[in-house]
Amino acid sequence: MNNSKSPGLAGFGILKNTTCHTEKKISVFFSIIFMTVGILSNSLAIAILLKAYQRFRQKSKASFLLLASGLVVTDLFGHLINGAIAVFVYASDKDWIRFNQSNILCSVFGICMVFFGLCPLFLGSVMAVERCIGVTKPIFHSTKMTSKHVKMMLTMVCLFAVLIALLPVLRFRAYQIQASRTWCFYKTEHVEDWEDRFYLLLFSCLGLLALAVSFLCNAVTGITLLRVKFKSQQRQGRSHHFEMIIQLLAIMCVSCICWSPFLVTMARIGINESRSKETCETILFALRMATWNQILDPWVYILLRKAVLKNLYKITRGCCGVHIINLHMWELSSIKNSLKVAAISESPVSSKQINLQPLSNKGQ
């Protein structure tokens, strides 16, 4: 009987011969700790972002805060749902045959793993594109990127991630219990059918594409901010560049470091499973690294804020005794200044005023 075509027995064959073992007490303990830290971190980040959104509701920063709130809410529900299922599996001694006779739990677990894995990556790339447009084309951003459009983008991203997660179910290909017996995903062992390879490659390619888009847009944004900094003659307009560049670098580093091992591992299995040397422990380690992304994401927005960076600067200055930046530079908003400088440079009104100045001088 074909396991991928029979939902009731899908994945149980892997339970008979597995070489991947985890300690029950340690695994349950770490699962509970990860879930608790993730929930608390994302809840704190949501409170901070909602407070900031109420403050900047009518400004250009509102779209970025709305996308960031969507990302953190997605991470929060990912920890709640996936964490609860993982704790239940560990607490039940990973006896899938007893509590998963109809394969419903494994299917739900697999759908949630795919959705809550791809959706934050998609949202991160959309945020990077939004920041890039906001810095390089501020006039277009202020007129076209309204809250209504941002909510539509959030809905489309979530629906696309849901569609990718439901593809195997719609095609009657059941999600498989993995060798560690602790989670469900696409078929990663004895992959012979082209459709199983397709799902693995689709997941990894979409994830890597999202990371590449984020990297490219963040690089363009950072270069643009540096160019504006060196062109601007105003001393007070420098501080926001440091905050934005630090945030962009942190977001890129967290996403790439946490997600790259898992995405590359899935791609290698999908390309050539027969020659792939990925062990169960390697896949499980890559999965846990990807889970850390949902824990670290909110701390980027919690720690790398203007107030926190200002206090870190004070501590660093007190320890080192070096005068680097005047503290009054931190009084202005981080995004407001960069958009103002870029808008002035792009505005056709300002160019007309510059062209009229020589004429007025000649008339005098």
Side-chain angles (χ1 to χ4, degrees):
M1 184 177 294
N2 190 345
N3 285 339
S4 62
K5 292 289 184 181
S6 54
L9 299 175
F12 288 134
I14 202 172
L15 304 182
K16 297 178 182 178
N17 185 19
T18 177
T19 58
C20 187
H21 300 283
T22 54
E23 292 292 335
K24 177 182 175 182
K25 293 182 179 179
I26 297 177
S27 299
V28 172
F29 175 76
F30 279 112
S31 297
I32 295 174
I33 292 296
F34 281 3
M35 185 175 67
T36 305
V37 172
I39 291 172
L40 293 177
S41 302
N42 284 281
S43 300
L44 179 59
I46 289 172
I48 293 173
L49 289 170
L50 288 179
K51 184 178 179 181
Y53 180 73
Q54 294 296 328
R55 184 180 172 189
F56 295 98
R57 178 181 285 273
Q58 302 300 329
K59 298 184 180 180
S60 58
K61 193 176 181 180
S63 57
F64 170 78
L65 293 173
L66 191 59
L67 290 171
S69 300
L71 172 63
V72 177
V73 168
T74 305
D75 287 338
L76 174 62
F77 279 101
H79 278 290
L80 279 172
I81 299 174
N82 290 340
I85 297 176
V87 170
F88 172 76
V89 171
Y90 279 118
S92 303
D93 202 19
K94 299 180 285 186
D95 189 3
W96 288 89
I97 298 178
R98 177 171 59 85
F99 58 77
N100 191 50
Q101 289 290 337
S102 59
N103 203 46
I104 294 177
L105 182 62
C106 185
S107 297
V108 172
F109 201 1
I111 291 171
C112 292
M113 290 292 292
V114 174
F115 174 79
F116 290 113
L118 287 179
C119 196
L121 292 176
F122 292 161
L123 290 176
S125 63
V126 172
M127 288 171 59
V129 172
E130 185 273 337
R131 286 194 301 269
C132 185
I133 296 174
V135 172
T136 57
K137 302 291 181 181
I139 298 176
F140 174 82
H141 182 275
S142 60
T143 56
K144 301 298 182 181
M145 295 286 291
T146 62
S147 296
K148 181 180 178 181
H149 294 147
V150 174
K151 291 176 183 178
M152 288 177 60
M153 286 191 294
L154 277 171
T155 304
M156 290 175 62
V157 167
C158 292
L159 289 177
F160 183 65
V162 168
L163 177 62
I164 299 300
L166 289 177
L167 269 180
V169 178
L170 297 175
R171 292 281 302 169
F172 302 101
R173 312 284 286 200
Y175 281 95
Q176 300 288 312
I177 302 168
Q178 302 303 302
S180 62
R181 299 166 56 192
T182 57
W183 61 297
C184 293
F185 200 64
Y186 301 127
K187 190 174 183 180
T188 57
E189 290 193 351
H190 309 293
V191 181
E192 298 176 356
D193 192 271
W194 68 269
E195 196 168 346
D196 294 326
R197 295 180 186 273
F198 171 77
Y199 293 139
L200 290 170
L201 291 175
L202 179 65
F203 179 87
S204 57
C205 289
L206 287 175
L208 292 172
L209 179 62
L211 290 178
V213 171
S214 300
F215 181 84
L216 179 62
C217 292
N218 288 335
V220 172
T221 304
I223 293 172
T224 303
L225 288 175
L226 287 174
R227 290 177 61 186
V228 172
K229 172 193 170 182
F230 290 124
K231 287 182 180 180
S232 176
Q233 299 298 324
Q234 295 180 354
R235 215 177 147 202
Q236 62 183 6
R238 295 179 184 175
S239 62
H240 62 280
H241 298 292
F242 294 99
E243 181 184 1
M244 275 296 292
I245 292 173
I246 289 172
Q247 288 178 344
L248 296 175
L249 290 175
I251 292 170
M252 279 194 303
C253 290
V254 168
S255 298
C256 292
I257 293 174
C258 292
W259 270 106
S260 294
F262 185 76
L263 294 173
V264 171
T265 300
M266 293 298 107
R268 291 178 61 181
I269 295 174
I271 292 172
N272 196 350
E273 192 275 337
S274 59
R275 296 183 181 178
S276 177
K277 298 180 180 179
E278 310 298 340
T279 62
C280 170
E281 288 79 9
T282 303
I283 297 175
L284 199 58
F285 176 76
L287 175 67
R288 286 170 177 169
M289 283 193 65
T291 304
W292 270 101
N293 182 76
Q294 295 179 328
I295 298 176
L296 297 177
D297 262 348
W299 288 102
V300 173
Y301 308 107
I302 294 171
L303 296 178
L304 300 182
R305 293 178 293 131
K306 182 174 62 177
V308 177
L309 292 174
K310 184 176 179 179
N311 291 330
L312 288 176
Y313 165 77
K314 288 180 180 179
I315 295 173
T316 305
R317 185 185 175 188
C319 295
C320 301
V322 180
H323 181 74
I324 304 174
I325 306 171
N326 290 329
L327 290 180
H328 74 273
M329 293 180 182
W330 297 91
E331 297 300 325
L332 297 178
S333 172
S334 59
I335 298 180
K336 182 179 177 183
N337 254 339
S338 61
L339 296 179
K340 186 188 297 182
V341 175
I344 291 174
S345 63
E346 282 196 358
S347 176
V349 178
S350 61
S351 61
K352 289 180 180 179
Q353 291 176 351
I354 294 173
N355 294 331
L356 288 175
Q357 283 180 356
L359 295 175
S360 61
N361 293 333
K362 289 180 181 180
Q364 291 177 356

